[in-house]
Amino acid sequence: AQKITQTQPGMFVQEKEAVTLDCTYDTSDPSYGLFWYKQPSSGEMIFLIYQGSYDQQNATEGRYSLNFQKARKSANLVISASQLGDSAMYFCAMRSSRGTGNQFYFGTGTSLTVIP
Amino acid sequence: DSGVTQTPKHLITATGQRVTLRCSPRSGDLSVYWYQQSLDQGLQFLIQYYNGEERAKGNILERFSAQQFPDLHSELNLSSLELGDSALYFCASSAGTRGGYTFGSGTRLTVV
């Protein structure tokens, strides 16, 4: 069964500090994709970063980096130099390609609050 | 603007009614996905269409149906609405069946 687990319901970080949001996953698929999305209070889902299961290097996108540890089945998001605008819900997701379909499995999310 | 357009943004309706949510995917994207986000269930996959054909089905109730039209826009029909159907409904699109998602801004449905 496909499953994404985010064990941190809420996190606080001081402005300009780095923060790590945890994500573990479970899949039997040899090929899969891992994603992080940000959902601010306005509700929209914003794509942040992607990691393919066969990618050798950890993905980076500006202040976002993904700490991918395949053997441990973890895909933690690291946000460096936190900003007040980073306060939002963060969702880890896994893409599973089964047959002709393409379904994303989402974790329950982590609420990040950046403190001035 | 993500390129995925969802209308309406907000919808308030009474129990037992029927509503239609509309989604226009990002230009060039053939796949459309519908998700329901509620406080107690999180993000739940409902259904996927690819170039007009249903490709994957998730936890979609029988009271709900969807379709994708030749111009690739999609509609999600919710009927016999119940209070528990109140949620944020997202549409997302991708270029193929194995790509990443681009989400629309969602339709917030309130059933009273």
Side-chain angles (χ1 to χ4, degrees), chain A residues 17-45:
Chain A
E17 297 293 314
V19 63
T20 298
L21 307 184
D22 294 342
C23 173
T24 58
Y25 61 92
D26 190 16
T27 181
S28 55
D29 292 345
S31 176
Y32 50 89
L34 295 160
F35 300 76
W36 278 91
Y37 283 87
K38 172 184 177 181
Q39 187 178 37
S41 58
S42 54
E44 72 265 36
M45 295 285 282

Side-chain angles (χ1 to χ4, degrees), chain A residues 92-112:
Chain A
C92 179
M94 178 173 64
R95 180 197 66 220
S96 168
S97 299
R98 290 291 182 88
T100 57
N102 180 19
Q103 180 176 341
F104 271 42
Y105 297 85
F106 284 86
T108 51
T110 295
S111 176
L112 177 67

